[in-house]
Amino acid sequence: MALQLFASRISSRFGISVLPRTFATVIGDLKYTDSHEWVKVEGNSATVGITDHAQDHLGDVVYVELPEEGASVTQGSAFGAVESVKATSDVNSPVSGKVIEVNKELAESPALINGHPYEQGWIMKVEINDSGELNSLMDSDKYSKFCEEEDAKH
């Protein structure tokens, strides 16, 4: 932090702009939670994963605890966990429903979450019970602003 402050002072003295830390990728057609999960809805099915912002803060993912296929999940409740070199974090479901598929590739390659959080790094697919729950989630603009405000606090 001191080095960053020093660099900022030197650059302003010489009229050089210092770009702030780049923010994580946020995808426009997804919905987001304040605990950094994303959901992509296709009909009555929802694909769920953790956001680029979350994986960036976790660091290298080394293990993913997946839910059981057929299990029920509840919006806002933990269904699994992601373990990284820094910490283990619960993963919460953005929607309530029944788990219809899990990403078995994560057992062998948990780092897919780091490299491709929105593509190959998805965690589960859920048959949605109540599509009205989606109204409580953030769109990409709100989520981007939420992340910026959260990062500014730390």
Side-chain angles (χ1 to χ4, degrees):
M1 187 67 169
L3 182 59
Q4 189 177 10
L5 183 60
F6 175 74
S8 179
R9 284 187 181 149
I10 293 295
S11 62
S12 65
R13 174 177 250 166
F14 292 105
I16 303 168
S17 73
V18 176
L19 298 174
R21 174 175 111 60
T22 58
F23 288 98
T25 302
V26 176
I27 306 294
D29 63 346
L30 304 180
K31 294 284 193 176
Y32 299 88
T33 68
D34 61 3
S35 54
H36 304 288
E37 290 84 18
W38 59 265
V39 60
K40 180 177 184 173
V41 178
E42 297 170 288
N44 196 36
S45 175
T47 303
V48 175
I50 67 168
T51 66
D52 189 32
H53 185 269
Q55 73 77 25
D56 184 51
H57 283 270
L58 280 170
D60 295 336
V61 175
V62 295
Y63 176 75
V64 181
E65 179 188 322
L66 298 169
E68 294 286 324
E69 288 183 4
S72 291
V73 293
T74 304
Q75 184 181 45
S77 295
F79 66 81
V82 174
E83 185 178 326
S84 73
V85 293
K86 291 182 184 177
T88 299
S89 296
D90 284 340
V91 183
N92 300 318
S93 185
V95 294
S96 298
K98 180 176 140 189
V99 178
I100 53 176
E101 187 179 350
V102 296
N103 187 351
K104 293 179 176 78
E105 286 187 48
L106 294 177
E108 294 295 319
S109 304
L112 286 171
I113 288 179
N114 294 115
H116 307 282
Y118 301 113
E119 296 91 22
Q120 297 99 322
W122 63 275
I123 297 173
M124 69 172 178
K125 294 186 180 183
V126 176
E127 184 180 304
I128 301 171
N129 283 352
D130 178 6
S131 61
E133 289 180 338
L134 298 169
N135 296 329
S136 66
L137 303 176
M138 291 179 266
D139 64 17
S140 58
D141 291 339
K142 284 183 182 171
Y143 181 69
S144 292
K145 185 170 173 48
F146 174 79
C147 291
E148 288 175 25
E149 290 170 357
E150 189 176 74
D151 285 349
K153 292 176 188 174
H154 296 112

